[in-house]
Amino acid sequence: MIDFTAARSDETADELWCCEHPPVFTLGQAGRAEHLLSDLGIPLVKSDRGGQITYHGPGQVVIYVLLDLSRRRLKVRELVGAIEQAVIDLLAAHGVLAERHAGAPGVYVGAAKVAALGLRVRRSHSYHGLSLNVDMDLSPFTAINPCGYPGLAVTQTRDLGISLTPSQAATALADHLAVQLECR
């Protein structure tokens, strides 16, 4: 992702990369190690994305958003809004009301976070992206202050009554994200 972004030219197509990660805690550029509350034996990796600490693991969809923001005439805040709206639209398509919380990027159902964002922009090219909790073991989140917020509850689509596999959720979310990006 970093190499792809560094090698981009004006002709390089924008891409969305969908994946799942093995269990890992990631600490963003501004991340503080004290947000890791206990050692579960899960690796902690420093990342050059924005944000604090989060957990990635099997059953969570990660989409890396590799865009030329200048070509799309898109500002970072608009990109964040498009990403959040794509998740909100995906959940709405399954009858779940989700929302943004002011000052806390991501998507929430009630007080529980279902999707996290962490981006980096270099020379007007974005990378990193979002994670959507689909059907995973949420217990590692108890070992951190998710996104730097003590006691922040997390949820997943399975617990919200959405019966998508991670692969199905990745495809559907990428489709919603493409719609959001094309209308901006």
Side-chain angles (χ1 to χ4, degrees), residues 22-75:
V24 63
F25 292 114
T26 62
L27 193 63
Q29 281 187 310
R32 297 193 328 247
E34 62 263 24
H35 288 298
L36 178 62
L37 305 175
S38 59
D39 183 356
L40 300 179
I42 296 172
L44 174 66
V45 175
K46 291 184 179 180
S47 172
D48 68 341
R49 65 163 171 75
Q52 284 285 337
I53 191 167
T54 196
Y55 170 71
H56 298 297
Q60 180 189 68
V61 171
V62 175
I63 300 183
Y64 293 112
V65 182
L66 307 167
L67 304 177
D68 181 330
L69 299 180
S70 292
R71 183 171 55 217
R72 290 182 173 273
R73 295 183 175 90
L74 195 60
K75 293 182 177 7

Side-chain angles (χ1 to χ4, degrees), residues 55-115:
Y55 170 71
H56 298 297
Q60 180 189 68
V61 171
V62 175
I63 300 183
Y64 293 112
V65 182
L66 307 167
L67 304 177
D68 181 330
L69 299 180
S70 292
R71 183 171 55 217
R72 290 182 173 273
R73 295 183 175 90
L74 195 60
K75 293 182 177 7
V76 175
R77 191 75 211 124
E78 294 169 327
L79 174 58
V80 169
I83 292 169
E84 290 171 335
Q85 192 60 50
V87 175
I88 290 168
D89 291 348
L90 170 66
L91 297 177
H94 293 275
V96 174
L97 179 63
E99 61 193 5
R100 298 170 178 90
H101 285 183
V107 177
Y108 301 79
V109 176
K113 194 167 203 171
V114 69

